[in-house]
Amino acid sequence: MKNWSEKTLKRIWKGILVAVLLLIVFTFSPWVLVKGKIDPILFSMPYHLWVSILSTILLVVFTGIGGMVFYHLKLKTDPNANL
Amino acid sequence: MTQYLLLIGVLYVGVLFFLSLRSRKEIKTSSDFMLGGAKIGLILGFMTFAATLFSTFTLMGMPDFSRNNGVGAWIFLAFSDAVMVFFILWFGFYLRKRVGSESFGGMSRLLQNCYQNKGVGYLYFIAVFLFLVPYVAIQIRGVAIFLIEAFPDFIPVWAWSVFIVVVMLLYSELGGLKAIIYADFMQGTLLLIVVWLVAMNCLDNVGGWSALFEQTANTQPDLLSPPGPKGLLSPQFLIASCIAIAMIPVTQPQLSTRLVIMKDYAALRRMAVAVGFFAILIIIPTVIIGLYGALQYADASTSSFLGSVLLREQHPAIAAVTIIGLFAAAMSTSDSQLFAMGNEFRGLIGSKGENNLTPIRIAIFVFAAAALLFSLVSSNELVLLARLSFSGTGIMGPMIILGILAKKPQGSFMIGLSAVALVIFIVSQLGWIPQQIFNMRLDLLLMILLSLGALINYYVKK
C-alpha cells in the first residue's frame, strides 16, 4: 500500500465510504427492519439478528481496511498531519 | 458467596490501589495527572476506550433492554458502535491534527480556539455537565440496585450509592488518568469474562443456542424482530440512536480525550478496529442473557431479573466475580467521566489550572455529588437514561465537527443554533413540548437541522 499512488488510494477510500454508506442505509431499510420476519434462519438465529450481526462485522472489517487506506492517503496528501 | 466476594474483592481493590500508587509516582504536573502523560499505545488505548465505553449500562442495561425489546437491541448498540468506530477513523484524524503538538486542554478550550469565541467553550461545558450527570448516575444506580439484590437488608440504596462514589473519588484522586487507564485494562477484561460466563450459564439452563431461539419463537415471537413487543425500536428511534452513539467520541470528553492521547494515528486506527470487535464480543452475550430473561423472568422487575440471572443462578464464585466485574465496569466509566469533566474545567479556567489541581479537584467533587444526587432519584431504565445522555451531548456534535474541520473561525451562528437546540431538547425532555413533531422524533429533527446548519455555515464562511 505504501507504493500505491495517491489517485489509487483516493479511489479506494471513496469506494469504502460508498460501501459503508450503502451498508448503513441497507441496515436501516425495510429489508432489515421488518416486523415479524423470522425466516430465513441462519445458525438458529432469526433473520433480523443474523443480518444485523453480519452488517456489523462487515462494517468493522471496512474500518480495518479503511483505516489503512486513509492512513497511507494522508501520509501522501497531508504532511502536516499529526500521524 | 461472601467468602469468595471478600477474597476477590480484596484482590481487586489491592491491584487497583497498587496501580494507583504506581501511577502517582509518575505525576509531576497537572497535565500528567489529567492526561496520563499523553502517549498511549494500542493495547492500553484499546482497553481504556472499550472499558470507558462499555459499562454498567452494557452488563445490566443491555440484558434488560433485550429482555423487553428483543433482538433489535443489536442494531441499537452493536451496529451503532460499528458506525462509531468507522467514524473514529475520520474524526480522530482531524481532531489530532487540530490539537497538533500542543498540550490538550480539553474540548472546551479547543473549541474556544477553533471559534475564537469564549462562549462556545461554556456552552459545550454546560451541555456535557447536564448530560454526563445521568450517565454517571446510571453507573452508580446500576451497581447500587444490584448490591441491594446481593445483600438485602444490609444497608439502604443511598448508602451503597455514597460508598460507590467515595471509592470512585478516592481512586481517581490517588493516581490520575494513568491509574484509570491501567485499571481500565483490568476492568475491561473482567467485564468480558463475566458477561460470557453468565451467558454460557443461561444457554446451559435453557438447553443451548438453538433452544433459546426456538423457545422465544414459541412464546414471544415479537422479540425476534424489530420494533419489539413494545414498539420502541422503530426505524426513527434506531437511526436517531445510531447518530447519537456515533457522536459519542465527538461530544463526550472522556472519549475525545482518549483519541487525542493515543501515541499515533496508526495506534488509533487499530484501536478503532479492536473496539469494534470488542463491541461484537460483548454485546452478543447480553442479547443471550436478555432472551433468556424473557423466557424465565418475563414479568420480573429489572432488579429481580438481574439479581436472579447474574447472582442467584450462578456458582457463588462466579456471582462474586460478577459483583466485582460490575463494580469495576461502573468504576471505569464513571471515573473517566469525572476526570474528563475535571479536564474540561481545567481548560476553561486556563492558566490558573496549569499548576494548581485544587479547583479541578473541587470540580470533580461537585460533578460526582451531582451524579450521586441524580442516581438517588433516577429510574432503573439504564439504557434509556444512557441514550438520553448520548442524545443530549450529541446536540453539540455538528458544532464541534464544524469547528474542528474548518481552517478559520466560523462565527457565532452555529454556537447560537446549538444553544437554541439544546434548550429545545431539554424542554422536550421535561415534557413541556412534545417529543414528536410532524411524526418525526424531535432529537432526530434537531440533528438534521443542526447538520444542515453546519453545512451551510461552512460553505458561507469558506
Side-chain angles (χ1 to χ4, degrees):
Chain A
M1 205 171 279
K2 219 187 286 180
N3 301 323
W4 292 4
S5 71
E6 188 184 321
K7 200 176 161 190
T8 310
L9 287 167
K10 254 187 194 159
R11 202 178 294 158
I12 299 173
W13 173 240
K14 278 184 185 163
I16 290 170
L17 284 182
V18 170
V20 166
L21 207 66
L22 287 176
L23 188 61
I24 293 172
V25 170
F26 169 73
T27 308
F28 289 114
S29 73
W31 288 308
V32 177
L33 300 181
V34 50
K35 188 177 180 180
K37 184 173 161 70
I38 294 176
D39 295 321
I41 287 171
L42 185 71
F43 302 124
S44 304
M45 287 184 282
Y47 169 76
H48 173 79
L49 185 60
W50 69 258
V51 172
S52 51
I53 288 179
L54 199 63
S55 301
T56 309
I57 294 171
L58 268 175
L59 196 45
V60 178
V61 170
F62 279 134
T63 304
I65 303 167
M68 276 194 290
V69 175
F70 191 68
Y71 173 69
H72 284 98
L73 178 65
K74 288 296 166 187
L75 273 179
K76 288 187 196 299
T77 59
D78 208 338
N80 297 325
N82 182 18
L83 288 166
Chain B
M1 184 184 73
T2 314
Q3 282 172 328
Y4 285 110
L5 187 62
L6 277 174
L7 184 74
I8 301 167
V10 167
L11 195 69
Y12 167 73
V13 173
V15 174
L16 215 58
F17 279 91
F18 167 74
L19 292 172
S20 188
L21 292 171
R22 207 184 104 167
S23 306
R24 197 174 172 80
K25 288 180 188 162
E26 296 168 18
I27 296 171
K28 293 184 178 65
T29 64
S30 69
S31 179
D32 290 341
F33 184 74
M34 300 306 296
L35 297 174
K39 291 287 170 205
I40 305 296
L42 169 65
I43 304 292
L44 269 185
F46 151 58
M47 288 310 278
T48 187
F49 196 96
T52 303
L53 189 62
F54 299 106
S55 54
T56 317
F57 147 66
T58 319
L59 185 55
M60 291 179 69
M62 282 306 287
D64 195 41
F65 194 69
S66 303
R67 177 177 74 123
N68 291 314
N69 299 292
V71 296
W74 180 272
I75 287 196
F76 166 74
L77 190 63
F79 185 76
S80 301
D81 279 338
V83 174
M84 181 197 75
V85 295
F86 186 82
F87 190 59
I88 282 176
L89 291 182
W90 180 81
F91 177 72
F93 171 81
Y94 286 101
L95 176 66
R96 291 171 58 83
K97 185 179 170 186
R98 190 81 203 201
V99 174
S101 53
E102 292 168 27
S103 165
F104 182 58
M107 291 297 283
S108 310
R109 194 196 284 181
L110 183 67
L111 286 173
Q112 285 180 336
N113 292 340
C114 292
Y115 279 91
Q116 293 295 304
N117 182 321
K118 289 269 176 207
V120 68
Y122 292 106
L123 174 64
Y124 173 82
F125 187 80
I126 290 168
V128 166
F129 183 88
L130 285 177
F131 289 102
L132 276 191
V133 164
Y135 200 14
V136 177
I138 60 173
Q139 317 299 329
I140 302 167
R141 177 87 189 171
V143 181
I145 59 173
F146 188 70
L147 288 171
I148 285 284
E149 279 293 318
F151 305 103
D153 309 321
F154 182 52
I155 52 173
V157 72
W158 67 264
W160 279 121
S161 301
V162 171
F163 168 73
I164 294 159
V165 173
V166 169
V167 174
M168 223 179 264
L169 282 173
L170 262 180
Y171 173 64
S172 51
E173 164 62 25
L174 271 176
L177 186 63
K178 201 62 173 278
I180 290 174
I181 288 171
Y182 283 138
D184 279 350
F185 185 87
M186 184 175 73
Q187 289 161 349
T189 314
L190 202 55
L191 180 66
L192 189 64
I193 294 170
V194 163
V195 77
W196 270 106
L197 283 175
V198 173
M200 295 313 280
N201 190 55
C202 290
L203 284 179
D204 265 357
N205 288 350
V206 84
W209 176 255
S210 301
L212 178 74
F213 293 106
E214 280 161 17
Q215 289 181 31
T216 309
N218 291 334
T219 55
Q220 300 186 62
D222 283 352
L223 287 170
L224 297 181
S225 65
K230 294 179 176 172
L232 177 70
L233 303 177
S234 64
Q236 276 197 35
F237 177 88
L238 291 171
I239 293 168
S241 303
C242 181
I243 296 171
I245 290 171
M247 284 285 155
I248 295 176
V250 180
T251 56
Q252 299 217 345
Q254 73 276 16
L255 292 174
S256 316
T257 304
R258 278 157 177 75
L259 299 184
V260 173
I261 62 175
M262 291 299 290
K263 186 174 69 180
D264 51 30
Y265 184 76
L268 184 136
R269 68 183 167 85
R270 289 186 189 119
M271 179 274 283
V273 178
V275 170
F277 280 115
F278 190 84
I280 292 170
L281 279 181
I282 213 152
I283 297 168
I284 286 177
T286 67
V287 174
I288 295 172
I289 301 168
L291 291 184
Y292 172 76
L295 292 173
Q296 303 292 330
Y297 304 99
D299 300 319
S301 67
T302 300
S303 56
S304 162
F305 155 60
L306 292 169
S308 299
V309 81
L310 298 180
L311 285 178
R312 288 186 278 277
E313 285 187 8
Q314 306 298 327
H315 182 276
I318 296 179
V321 175
T322 305
I323 293 176
I324 299 298
L326 195 66
F327 194 82
M331 282 274 295
S332 61
T333 301
S334 309
D335 53 17
S336 302
Q337 287 164 330
L338 293 179
F339 239 72
M341 285 306 294
N343 197 38
E344 292 307 317
F345 187 71
R346 183 177 80 115
L348 281 180
I349 60 174
S351 57
K352 286 177 226 159
E354 290 302 327
N355 292 310
N356 183 5
L357 286 171
T358 309
I360 299 162
R361 283 176 166 141
I362 292 171
I364 290 176
F365 180 80
V366 169
F367 186 64
L372 174 64
L373 285 177
F374 192 89
S375 77
L376 297 176
V377 295
S378 68
S379 78
N380 291 342
E381 295 269 9
L382 304 182
V383 171
L384 293 180
L385 278 169
R387 191 190 176 282
L388 170 70
S389 167
F390 304 153
S391 305
T393 53
I395 299 281
M396 298 292 113
M399 179 188 78
I400 298 171
I401 293 172
L402 175 69
I404 285 170
L405 284 188
K407 290 184 177 131
K408 56 182 182 182
Q410 293 291 300
S412 53
F413 171 72
M414 265 315 282
I415 305 169
L417 196 64
S418 301
V420 171
L422 184 67
V423 172
I424 293 173
F425 184 74
I426 293 169
V427 167
S428 77
Q429 291 303 315
L430 292 172
W432 296 350
I433 60 168
Q435 294 189 18
Q436 291 256 347
I437 292 178
F438 305 123
N439 282 331
M440 189 172 233
R441 288 182 64 91
L442 187 66
D443 52 356
L444 186 57
L445 187 66
L446 287 174
M447 281 308 290
I448 292 171
L449 292 176
L450 286 165
S451 305
L452 281 174
L455 209 63
I456 293 166
N457 195 137
Y458 180 76
Y459 282 108
V460 168
K461 288 274 176 186
K462 203 173 177 182

